[in-house]
Amino acid sequence: MGFRGGFRLRLALAILLFAGCFSVPALAERRVALVVGNGAYKNAARLPNPKNDAEDVAAALKRGGFETIVGLDLDKAGMDDATARFARAAREADVAIFYYSGHAMQFSGVNYLMPVDARLTDETDLRRMVRVDDIVADVQQAKNLRIMVLDSCRDNPLAEELKRSIGRTRAAAVSRGLAKIDSPQGMIVAYSTQSGRTAEDGTGRNSPYTTAFLKHIEATDEIGTVFRRVSADVYEGTKRTQLPELSLSFIGEFYLRGRPTPTIAAPSPVPTPVNEAASAWSVIQNTTSQAVLEDFIRQFGGTIYGSLARARLDELKKSLVAVAAPVAPAVPPQLAQPAKSAPPVQQAVVAPPTRPSAPSADAPKPAVGVFPASRTVKIGVLSDMSSLYADLGGPGSTAAAKLAIADFAQTNPEIKVELLSSDHQNKPDIGSNIASQWFDVDKVDMIVDTPNSGVALAVSQVTTTKNKVFIVSGAASSDLTGPRCNANTVHWTYDTWMLANSTAKAVVKTGGNSWFFLTADYAFGHALERDTAAVVEKNGGKVLNKVRHPLNTSDFSSFLLQAQASKAKVIGLANAGGDTLNSIKQAAEFGIVKGGQSLAGLLIFASDVNALGLATAQGLVLTESWYWDANDANRAWTKRWQTERPGKFPNMVQAGVYAGTLHYLKSVAALMSATDGKAVVAKMKETPTDDPLFGKGTVRADGRKTHDVFLFEVKKPSESKYPGDLYKLRATIPASEAFRPLAEGNCPLARG
């Protein structure tokens, strides 16, 4: 891996020139640090380690040439004074470090550090804490390198007290652990554990994180290597229960204890295992391939990067499943068609798996031809696995895809199928990066699900560039089959045009002719608002105003007050998931419905209704393309799905993942190839769809899958007879009317 010839000479010269930025001896470079250890809390359980942590870290940094401000058991006034002194020092410094050990918490995504005199009777008391964002601004004043270390994600009893004081609706704003900080340029942000999780206090003199930090901070290694070694030691030292989170965003190298003096004439050193491991890890650290990680561990398992690879592999195994043979359905044949007169009881939710039943007479026949024995079809479930849309897709979508693969394998056992899954975190850049890696490195053939229209639009573009297949079930934007359609994308389950032309039309026709929109401020919300406003106005209604809120908002009070003041008859909720739930709950607190206005949930799922409870959700009118309790086939499939998701009920997105995956695999089998994405999608369009959940249908030229959809009303608690009995049917909208006419979508594929 060494550099050769003239390039080595140029590189060495460049190192000598660049050394002035990051490796100047301590006397020529000003280094400042603020180290705070808060443990003697007056209104919460005391922490034994922070004082020791701060004293030991401060001593280590002083040995490294830092001017160190040390704060032990600081109250609010003391923290304000220490941070002010640090801010003034950082302005003149080349390097600044902030190290904190103690209690901290997050509220509505904002992180706070807790002085020892902190109390939380209500959210006003947050003003008596120190905002981490303010510390970030102080650290950022340093000229070259800025480091923030937060050994502070311990369980916080005051957070629970705050939850109780502010009520059930707003309690969701108080989250476990700390919120992630995206490190600004030139900065390192290190958490003692992953964002949103809690860390161990430890039983020795120092916490597990500080113990590892003290072990490595005085080493002569580059600072990035130092922090990666700290992470690896913490993970191993806590028996793989605590994995620190690290965000590095700087260019160049930095050595706290000086760097090796570069020499031009000397030959390149023989690569060491650690150096080779570091180079290899930088390439594969984000892989979702189990085989790649296992190969890395075989080669470099004895290095710190081997520990990081094992941590990555452990996480991956929780979401990665390979299916190469038929999998047993969860329902015995005698239960496959339960009578409607005997509704399912609670025990049916956790029905045990049994041997597979024989394929039915109308099951798909094995394709004629031979699929290459060495070829594996790879499918990736790209979803929200941990945030506001996790119940809509998430692990439930992965479970649905497994069932599709199992059903396909019954008649096509010779075709191997591998299933991967990953969390796009509702960020288009992360989603598109995962898609690119899956397609290029892991050789994935098809991606499915992807709630969040912004992510879906980005992944759709990557898919067509790579000539793969993308089946959208979770995202809603009708632009996916409109102006931004392509020959590699199929939109399966629902879209914003469908929602608007069913729910909104029904509401306007029953007198809801003036609207105020509460809209999620990203692609999905904009599209749903646009399509719904068009329907309202087309049917004689008026849109009085709108307000847009950030994704994953916990406090809707200001938005709802604007809606209430508008006097609109209908407040249209152009959002989804947790945002919709919080909107409805907080609207009830403000008495909006009691005051005469109504709420139109433009995208509500069965999982949302379950979360709200029938007492809150009763009377809501909504549109779905699939409901678990609509017929015998849906109920039988639900029992199978519940073997992996006990106590839950699937929704239309998860049903769409199953049906879309099954139709894709049938098309691959018909072609005897998954290589050419456009050819596979063309086959999907050519072949009529037919599956147990959506029945017969078609995929149009624009990629829109068409089927009947249903207008439901949420039952009253007195009308519900068993768990999951949520809806009564108001209308069936035929496929020919449910989706936007092909000629009106402006999709280039529909023009010729």
Side-chain angles (χ1 to χ4, degrees):
M1 295 186 182
F3 297 99
R4 299 182 183 277
F7 181 72
R8 185 188 298 127
L9 176 61
R10 291 192 296 273
L11 176 67
L13 289 170
I15 289 173
L16 287 171
L17 292 171
F18 189 73
C21 293
F22 283 112
S23 64
V24 179
L27 292 176
E29 173 185 73
R30 188 178 181 195
R31 301 176 174 189
V32 300
L34 172 58
V35 182
V36 177
N38 284 348
Y41 287 95
K42 299 176 182 178
N43 303 301
R46 291 176 172 240
L47 299 173
N49 294 324
K51 183 174 181 292
N52 299 335
D53 293 344
E55 290 175 339
D56 295 348
V57 168
L61 293 178
K62 284 179 182 178
R63 291 191 292 269
F66 281 84
E67 302 169 27
T68 305
I69 302 168
V70 184
L72 302 177
D73 294 327
L74 298 179
D75 58 15
K76 179 60 163 61
M79 290 194 73
D80 287 344
D81 177 68
T83 54
R85 290 164 55 202
F86 176 64
R88 285 191 289 269
R91 291 189 202 121
E92 307 300 325
D94 298 287
V95 182
I97 292 181
F98 175 76
Y99 196 104
Y100 177 81
S101 178
H103 275 317
M105 63 174 290
Q106 64 164 303
F107 183 84
S108 294
V110 178
N111 294 321
Y112 296 88
L113 307 182
M114 292 181 55
V116 295
D117 59 347
R119 65 166 58 249
L120 280 174
T121 54
D122 58 40
E123 60 192 282
T124 305
D125 284 333
L126 291 170
R127 299 175 187 175
R128 303 179 187 276
M129 297 189 182
V130 177
R131 286 168 53 101
V132 172
D133 289 347
D134 294 337
I135 306 294
V136 171
D138 294 339
V139 176
Q140 277 292 97
Q141 296 184 87
K143 298 181 180 67
N144 290 335
L145 182 67
R146 307 99 175 189
I147 300 174
M148 171 175 280
V149 180
L150 300 176
D151 186 4
S152 55
C153 302
R154 299 165 171 88
D155 278 317
N156 186 345
L158 292 184
E160 295 303 315
E161 185 177 327
L162 178 60
K163 281 186 178 182
R164 291 191 294 271
S165 71
I166 62 178
R168 184 175 61 183
T169 299
R170 302 256 303 133
V174 184
S175 302
R176 183 177 174 87
L178 293 179
K180 184 176 181 180
I181 302 171
D182 292 323
S183 59
Q185 185 174 354
M187 190 166 182
I188 296 173
V189 177
Y191 287 101
S192 57
T193 191
Q194 291 172 299
S195 56
R197 300 187 182 182
T198 54
E200 295 182 15
D201 295 317
T203 56
R205 173 177 171 81
N206 302 113
S207 73
Y209 187 88
T210 298
T211 298
F213 183 85
L214 290 169
K215 177 181 176 182
H216 294 289
I217 195 61
E218 297 184 82
T220 57
D221 298 299
E222 195 275 329
I223 192 66
T225 299
V226 168
F227 275 100
R228 284 187 283 269
R229 286 182 171 172
V230 171
S231 296
D233 275 11
V234 173
Y235 185 65
E236 294 296 336
T238 58
K239 298 181 180 179
R240 303 187 179 187
T241 61
Q242 180 178 326
L243 179 62
E245 187 161 303
L246 180 62
S247 177
L248 299 92
S249 179
F250 65 94
I251 299 171
E253 296 181 342
F254 184 84
Y255 294 79
L256 285 179
R257 302 294 289 179
R259 65 183 297 158
T261 302
T263 57
I264 297 173
S268 298
V270 176
T272 66
V274 172
N275 289 338
E276 291 185 356
S279 298
W281 180 246
S282 67
V283 174
I284 65 98
Q285 59 183 325
N286 294 317
T287 186
T288 55
S289 171
Q290 190 172 347
V292 169
L293 289 167
E294 289 172 342
D295 183 63
F296 182 92
I297 292 167
R298 279 192 293 272
Q299 294 185 61
F300 305 110
T303 69
I304 60 167
Y305 302 98
S307 296
L308 296 176
R310 282 189 286 272
R312 174 71 174 154
L313 184 60
D314 288 345
E315 290 186 354
L316 188 61
K317 283 181 176 178
K318 296 176 183 177
S319 59
L320 183 63
V321 57
V323 181
V327 176
V331 184
Q334 64 268 28
L335 295 181
Q337 297 292 329
K340 178 63 178 178
S341 59
V345 293
Q346 188 65 33
Q347 290 88 331
V349 172
V350 290
T354 64
R355 299 290 298 172
S357 57
S360 63
D362 57 353
K365 301 297 188 292
V368 177
V370 178
F371 197 86
S374 60
R375 181 69 161 88
T376 297
V377 180
K378 291 189 176 182
I379 295 172
V381 177
L382 184 57
S383 193
D384 177 352
M385 297 291 180
S386 58
S387 187
L388 77 167
Y389 298 148
D391 285 342
L392 312 184
S397 287
T398 304
K402 290 180 184 179
L403 291 177
I405 294 169
D407 289 352
F408 173 76
Q410 289 189 39
T411 51
N412 297 272
E414 76 286 357
I415 300 180
K416 298 177 183 178
V417 183
E418 183 178 307
L419 183 66
L420 297 83
S421 66
S422 190
D423 186 352
H424 59 51
Q425 301 177 40
N426 291 299
K427 296 180 179 179
D429 58 335
I430 291 178
S432 56
N433 286 340
I434 292 171
S436 294
Q437 179 171 304
W438 272 356
F439 292 147
D440 293 339
V441 178
D442 300 310
K443 307 305 178 186
V444 167
D445 299 292
M446 184 271 277
I447 291 175
V448 67
D449 195 15
T450 317
N452 187 306
S453 293
V455 178
L457 288 164
V459 171
S460 178
Q461 183 60 46
V462 174
T463 303
T464 192
T465 300
K466 306 292 184 180
N467 191 25
K468 300 294 185 176
V469 178
F470 183 31
I471 300 178
V472 183
S473 186
S477 175
S478 60
D479 289 350
L480 285 160
T481 54
R484 299 182 67 174
C485 73
N486 61 60
N488 296 78
T489 298
V490 173
H491 201 174
W492 195 275
T493 308
Y494 72 107
D495 63 30
T496 52
W497 195 97
M498 179 209 90
L499 297 169
N501 280 269
S502 49
T503 305
K505 184 184 291 185
V507 171
V508 173
K509 286 185 176 180
T510 55
N513 56 10
S514 63
W515 285 61
F516 183 102
F517 284 103
L518 187 58
T519 303
D521 193 10
Y522 78 108
F524 152 68
H526 299 170
L528 185 53
E529 176 195 292
R530 175 199 67 206
D531 291 345
T532 306
V535 170
V536 169
E537 291 170 351
K538 181 178 179 180
N539 287 272
K542 294 181 179 179
V543 176
L544 302 185
N545 212 333
K546 64 187 177 186
V547 64
R548 291 178 173 175
H549 65 80
L551 183 67
N552 209 6
T553 296
S554 59
D555 185 359
F556 282 86
S557 56
S558 63
F559 308 121
L560 289 168
L561 288 172
Q562 292 179 61
Q564 193 173 39
S566 74
K567 305 298 183 184
K569 293 181 181 179
V570 180
I571 300 173
L573 303 179
N575 51 21
D579 285 338
T580 299
L581 297 182
N582 285 331
S583 301
I584 294 172
K585 291 176 182 177
Q586 292 174 38
E589 292 181 357
F590 282 103
I592 285 178
V593 175
K594 291 181 179 178
Q597 292 174 292
S598 63
L599 301 176
L602 299 173
L603 179 53
I604 295 181
F605 297 87
S607 51
D608 297 330
V609 174
N610 261 324
L612 287 168
L614 294 180
T616 300
Q618 61 181 312
L620 283 174
V621 175
L622 52 91
T623 304
E624 298 230 37
S625 58
W626 184 87
Y627 172 43
W628 82 270
D629 201 24
N631 55 50
D632 291 342
N634 291 2
R635 286 187 285 275
W637 185 85
T638 294
K639 290 178 183 177
R640 296 176 59 202
W641 181 88
Q642 286 172 331
T643 60
E644 283 210 21
R645 306 291 292 163
K648 296 183 178 294
F649 292 90
N651 58 46
M652 65 176 175
V653 168
Q654 292 150 350
V657 168
Y658 168 85
T661 300
L662 187 59
H663 189 61
Y664 164 80
L665 289 171
K666 291 178 184 178
S667 299
V668 168
L671 290 174
M672 280 295 146
S673 173
T675 303
D676 185 344
K678 287 184 174 65
V680 175
V681 171
K683 192 67 177 179
M684 293 175 70
K685 294 175 180 179
E686 171 190 315
T687 308
T689 64
D690 191 4
D691 65 81
L693 304 188
F694 290 83
K696 298 182 184 299
T698 59
V699 179
R700 300 189 317 201
D702 58 358
R704 175 69 262 167
K705 162 68 166 60
T706 63
H707 41 253
D708 294 349
V709 302
F710 311 98
L711 189 68
F712 292 112
E713 181 180 333
V714 177
K715 290 182 175 182
K716 299 175 183 177
S718 60
E719 296 173 321
S720 179
K721 305 304 181 186
Y722 44 86
D725 181 20
L726 306 175
Y727 298 156
K728 51 188 176 185
L729 182 65
R730 286 183 50 163
T732 298
I733 304 168
S736 59
E737 300 176 14
F739 295 95
R740 179 176 56 202
L742 183 63
E744 295 179 10
N746 296 318
C747 170
L749 300 175
R751 295 173 185 166

